[in-house]
Amino acid sequence: MPILLHNYFRSSASYRVRIALNLKGLPHDYRSVHLNRNGGEQRSPAFLQLNPQGLVPLLVDDDVTSGQSLAIIEYLEERYPSPSLLPKGLAERAFVRSLANHVACDVHPLNNLRVLKFLTGPMALTDDRKSEWVQHWIEQGLRALEDQVCASGLSGRFCVGDTPTMADCCLVPQIFSAQRFNVGLDAYPTLMRIHAHCEAEEAFRKAHPGVQPDSE
């Protein structure tokens, strides 16, 4: 059976996994879980049976079912090791994982859809205040990422070297999110240079939210 990916076109976490699947040349069936339609399809009893967390992405590969984007990418790396999304050196691999976790665990959760809905719902923030929140945390996160990548001396065309890694799988969706929320990006020239190289690769272009079947 082909790999099945339950995901949503604009979900940053789903976007990461689509990039990883494409970089590895792994065909997959796209199953849309619309996060806004019908009160959020991720909250439906049918989906909650598959993933009690009520989150996308969710990957099904034969007898393996996995949520959480970085866990999925690590699984793909172990089951389908070539081409690798990690560099060869131990220190370099640790650095790639650090960058990926910085985006996925520290930056993205603060501008996640469910957080933003809580801010404008129960917390009664205006849309302007919500935008301030998003922009503040994205700017802080990208500043740290820019400084880390520059200081490492490891970047080439991509975050580490000249081959895409899981760090790039995380960077590109975060830049997409920054653009959606009108975050200025001139302060991050190294990240934007890497982003341009990523966008030139078919694997990244095919994963873009704008070309997914459920794109609005």
Side-chain angles (χ1 to χ4, degrees), residues 16-88:
R16 293 172 203 138
V17 174
R18 293 196 301 265
I19 294 169
L21 286 165
N22 292 342
L23 285 170
K24 286 185 171 292
L26 296 171
H28 55 280
D29 287 345
Y30 187 108
R31 185 72 53 83
S32 174
V33 180
H34 201 291
L35 302 188
N36 287 311
R37 191 174 294 153
N38 301 319
E41 293 176 353
Q42 74 277 18
R43 300 188 187 94
S44 70
F47 186 72
L48 288 173
Q49 273 197 319
L50 295 173
N51 185 8
Q53 293 178 9
L55 298 172
V56 291
L58 183 72
L59 181 131
V60 181
D61 185 23
D62 293 333
D63 58 347
V64 174
T65 298
S66 179
Q68 297 295 335
S69 62
L70 293 189
I72 292 171
I73 294 172
E74 291 277 9
Y75 162 78
L76 294 173
E77 182 70 8
E78 292 181 2
R79 181 153 186 179
Y80 307 99
S82 182
S84 179
L85 299 180
L86 289 168
K88 291 183 179 179

